[in-house]
């Protein structure tokens, strides 16, 4: 792989959107670098969301977001078949709890139709409870969205980044940008690891996109970190629900939902709280109380189940009602801002759009004919056979039969493979996202020492282990 510090294009931000853009551009005869301030890909906004593959039925018609979410749904669904990204096509039901919400459902049907999605249907309360028998009392009706799906957001990010690197992209982690020198025929990004020079720069920095934008002389938008807290219930709760239960959306977001996860759990959340601190991913007592109050109404029996963990993520909300993707041809700079949580679904379509915008601005794009096949990603979803269940894999390599994390049934072979992969983890959190190790009920209490030893053996960097992350609570604490 090249070690040059001058590239045709540098993409800032190795979340889902940035990784998708780097992968797309690397399909052409260009030298591309993917810069990330953190020490791993997908360690920012992309790692903590509701992990739903959206049809875009409720996007504002006529917006760029609407078009790209709709396109991205099909692109990512197809990409998942080639890469093994876990998806479950559960479908969703939008539930109306009062007359105002019930009266709003026909307009949501119209919005879905305007967005090109034609499979939503109105159903009465009886039909709602037939499909969701554990739902709390008081629902007046609902609307089905049969193609909403759950997906592994971690694997999406990792697949796109791995594909990009396989296509020749230089991945530069721990490269925080301190200042920018733009001008002439190249831009120099001064980073914490030294200067990186590019003919074109694409800013997909998520929560930091406005700060990078200001380095190019702009003051056109402000990112407000919007914290969303979630509660994850034990796998025994999965029998309560097999569909995504959505609220009627509001101007602040899609509201609190109940959803199965690809890992066999059930999730309740998120909250929606605007903050100033772009690093504040702590959970809060007020957030828990809010979610538990909502949960008692949505699905009372869910609160009787054990809590595996809680977590929070920050969405990059901006003072603009649509995606903000704009090109500055003079500086050879392109901004990708305000993608919010829908970037999981729209990421690959955003990458296509960015490609076309760069071409229109004068970047020569010559498609390559020697692209490698998409990577086949390890399966960490519960709906498909895992290594510990596959006698053929164990027969070929006994390491797939040695379980190191009993809560999540993660094997020594999977940990080893992750550490030796194209984009290996830099620390234990990255290993969690690649394998689910230490992500279960005990939160690394039983397996942490062994997992740390395996990581040290494979990667050679000692990593601290805590018995339980600060974001984790016991079920007793969550129900107080």
């Amino acid at each position: 792989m090249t070690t040059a510090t001058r590239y045709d294009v540098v993409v800032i931000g190795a979340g889902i959107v940035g990784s998708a853009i780097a992968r797309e551009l690397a399909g052409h005869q260009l030298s591309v670098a993917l810069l990330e301030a953190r020490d791993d890909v997908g360690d920012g906004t992309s790692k903590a969301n509701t992990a739903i593959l959206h049809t875009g039925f409720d996007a504002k018609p006529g917006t760029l977001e609407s078009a790209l979410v709709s396109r991205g749904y099909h692109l990512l669904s197809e990409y998942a078949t080639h890469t093994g990204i876990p998806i479950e096509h559960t479908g969703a039901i939008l539930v109306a709890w009062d007359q105002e919400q019930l009266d709003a459902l026909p307009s949501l049907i119209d919005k879905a139709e305007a967005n090109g999605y034609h499979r939503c249907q109105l159903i009465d309360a009886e039909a709602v409870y037939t499909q969701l028998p554990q739902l709390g009392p008081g629902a007046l009706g609902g609307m089905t969205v049969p193609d909403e799906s759950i997906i592994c957001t971690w694997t999406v990010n990792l697949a796109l980044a791995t594909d990009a690197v396989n296509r020749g992209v230089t991945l530069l982690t721990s490269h925080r940008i301190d200042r920018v020198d733009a001008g002439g025929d190249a831009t120099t990004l001064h980073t914490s690891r030294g200067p990186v020079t590019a003919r074109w720069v694409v800013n997909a920095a998520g929560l930091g996109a406005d700060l990078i934008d200001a380095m190019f002389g702009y003051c056109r938008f402000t990112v407000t970190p919007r914290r969303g807290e979630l509660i994850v219930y034990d796998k025994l709760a999965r029998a309560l629900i097999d569909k995504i239960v959505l609220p009627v959306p509001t101007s602040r977001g899609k509201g609190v939902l109940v959803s199965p996860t690809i890992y066999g759990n059930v999730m309740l959340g998120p909250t929606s709280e605007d903050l100033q601190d772009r690093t504040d991913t702590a959970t809060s007592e007020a957030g828990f109380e809010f979610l538990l109050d909502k949960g008692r109404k949505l699905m009372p029996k869910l609160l009787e189940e054990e809590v595996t963990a809680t977590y929070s993520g920050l969405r990059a909300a901006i003072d603009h009602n649509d995606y903000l993707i704009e090109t500055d041809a003079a500086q050879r700079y392109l901004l990708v801002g305000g993608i919010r949580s829908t970037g999981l679904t729209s990421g690959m379509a955003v990458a296509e759009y960015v490609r076309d915008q760069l071409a229109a601005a004068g970047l020569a794009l010559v498609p390559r004919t020697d692209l490698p096949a998409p990577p086949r990603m390890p399966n960490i979803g519960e709906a498909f056979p895992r290594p510990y269940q596959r006698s053929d894999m164990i027969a070929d390599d006994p390491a797939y039969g040695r379980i190191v994390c009993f809560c999540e049934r993660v094997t020594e072979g999977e940990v080893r493979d992750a550490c030796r992969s194209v984009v290996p983890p830099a620390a234990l959190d990255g290993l969690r996202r690649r394998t689910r190790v230490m992500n279960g009920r005990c939160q690394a209490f039983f397996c942490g020492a062994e997992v740390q030893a395996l990581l040290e053996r494979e990667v050679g960097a000692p990593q601290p282990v805590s018995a339980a992350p600060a974001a984790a609570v016991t079920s007793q604490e969550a129900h107080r």
Side-chain angles (χ1 to χ4, degrees), residues 97 136 231 233 256 258 268-269 271 285-300 303 478-480:
W97 295 96
I231 298 175
Y233 287 88
V256 174
V258 180
L268 172 67
T271 59
E285 184 176 354
F288 292 156
E289 289 300 326
F290 173 80
L291 291 178
L292 292 172
D293 182 62
K294 291 288 187 180
R296 290 185 188 97
K297 179 178 180 63
L298 287 168
M299 192 166 288
L303 272 64
H479 284 79
R480 283 186 307 189

Side-chain angles (χ1 to χ4, degrees), residues 82-238:
H82 297 294
T83 57
I85 295 169
I87 293 179
E88 290 185 48
H89 299 289
T90 59
I93 297 180
L94 202 71
V95 178
W97 295 96
D98 58 38
Q99 192 61 45
E100 182 181 1
Q101 292 177 4
L102 189 66
D103 292 342
L105 293 181
S107 65
L108 288 172
I109 291 274
D110 294 339
K111 179 181 283 187
E113 293 283 337
N115 284 322
Y117 184 71
H118 308 293
R119 285 167 48 79
C120 291
Q121 291 186 341
L122 297 178
I123 57 175
D124 60 19
E126 181 180 0
V128 169
Y129 284 103
T130 296
Q131 297 191 52
L132 299 169
Q134 301 301 332
L135 201 65
L140 301 182
M143 185 181 85
T144 62
V145 192
D147 298 301
E148 294 280 291
S149 305
I150 57 176
I151 191 169
C152 179
T153 183
W154 300 333
T155 308
V156 171
N157 205 147
L158 187 60
L160 292 166
T162 299
D163 208 354
V165 171
N166 285 345
R167 291 180 171 197
V169 170
T170 301
L171 176 61
L172 301 172
T173 56
S174 300
H175 278 63
R176 184 191 68 252
I177 297 174
D178 299 317
R179 64 186 177 89
V180 171
D181 287 335
D185 63 349
T187 293
T188 299
L189 306 172
H190 296 275
T191 82
S192 53
R193 292 285 186 92
V196 179
T197 303
R199 290 199 299 124
W200 273 89
V201 174
V202 176
N203 174 7
L207 286 166
D210 58 336
L211 304 180
I212 300 297
D213 202 45
M215 294 182 188
F216 282 87
Y218 285 96
C219 185
R220 51 183 156 180
F221 74 109
T222 299
V223 169
T224 299
R226 182 166 293 166
R227 182 167 64 184
E229 300 177 53
L230 300 105
I231 298 175
V232 180
Y233 287 88
D234 188 73
K235 292 173 176 56
L236 293 174
R238 181 63 187 266

Side-chain angles (χ1 to χ4, degrees), residues 119-417:
R119 285 167 48 79
C120 291
Q121 291 186 341
L122 297 178
I123 57 175
D124 60 19
E126 181 180 0
V128 169
Y129 284 103
T130 296
Q131 297 191 52
L132 299 169
Q134 301 301 332
L135 201 65
L140 301 182
M143 185 181 85
T144 62
V145 192
D147 298 301
E148 294 280 291
S149 305
I150 57 176
I151 191 169
C152 179
T153 183
W154 300 333
T155 308
V156 171
N157 205 147
L158 187 60
L160 292 166
T162 299
D163 208 354
V165 171
N166 285 345
R167 291 180 171 197
V169 170
T170 301
L171 176 61
L172 301 172
T173 56
S174 300
H175 278 63
R176 184 191 68 252
I177 297 174
D178 299 317
R179 64 186 177 89
V180 171
D181 287 335
D185 63 349
T187 293
T188 299
L189 306 172
H190 296 275
T191 82
S192 53
R193 292 285 186 92
V196 179
T197 303
R199 290 199 299 124
W200 273 89
V201 174
V202 176
N203 174 7
L207 286 166
D210 58 336
L211 304 180
I212 300 297
D213 202 45
M215 294 182 188
F216 282 87
Y218 285 96
C219 185
R220 51 183 156 180
F221 74 109
T222 299
V223 169
T224 299
R226 182 166 293 166
R227 182 167 64 184
E229 300 177 53
L230 300 105
I231 298 175
V232 180
Y233 287 88
D234 188 73
K235 292 173 176 56
L236 293 174
R238 181 63 187 266
L240 296 176
I241 183 173
D242 62 358
K243 289 180 174 58
I244 305 163
V245 180
L246 296 172
V248 176
T250 69
S251 60
R252 285 187 61 82
K254 297 179 183 298
V256 174
L257 56 85
V258 180
S259 173
T261 76
I262 206 77
Y263 319 113
N265 302 91
V266 174
M267 179 175 58
L268 172 67
T271 59
S272 180
E273 178 187 7
D274 287 348
L275 305 175
Q276 295 299 315
D277 186 350
R278 302 182 190 221
T279 65
D280 187 359
T281 56
T283 54
S284 66
E285 184 176 354
F288 292 156
E289 289 300 326
F290 173 80
L291 291 178
L292 292 172
D293 182 62
K294 291 288 187 180
R296 290 185 188 97
K297 179 178 180 63
L298 287 168
M299 192 166 288
K301 287 191 175 181
L302 182 60
L303 272 64
E304 299 173 9
E305 300 293 332
E306 295 288 329
V307 171
T308 292
T310 68
Y311 69 92
S312 72
L314 297 176
R315 291 161 277 175
I318 69 169
D319 44 355
H320 190 75
N321 62 3
D322 197 0
Y323 288 177
L324 188 58
I325 304 178
E326 296 183 356
T327 307
D328 180 342
Q331 293 193 88
R332 296 181 179 177
Y333 165 68
L334 188 147
L335 166 68
V336 182
I339 305 301
R340 298 184 289 273
S341 60
T342 53
L344 167 58
T345 301
S346 68
M348 296 186 75
V350 170
E352 286 187 339
Y353 186 82
V354 166
R355 175 202 65 198
D356 293 344
Q357 294 299 302
L358 291 173
L363 178 63
L365 294 176
V366 180
R368 289 173 51 189
T369 59
D370 59 344
L371 290 178
R376 191 70 187 176
M377 305 305 295
N379 168 50
I380 60 174
E382 282 295 297
F384 316 94
R386 305 256 317 281
Y388 79 94
Q389 298 169 309
R390 293 185 53 181
S391 58
D392 59 328
M393 292 184 69
I394 296 170
D396 290 340
D397 185 345
Y400 294 119
R402 291 195 289 270
I403 294 176
V404 295
C405 173
F406 282 87
C407 293
E408 297 297 299
R409 301 294 193 269
V410 181
T411 67
E412 180 185 332
E414 291 171 277
V415 172
R416 177 204 62 206
D417 292 349

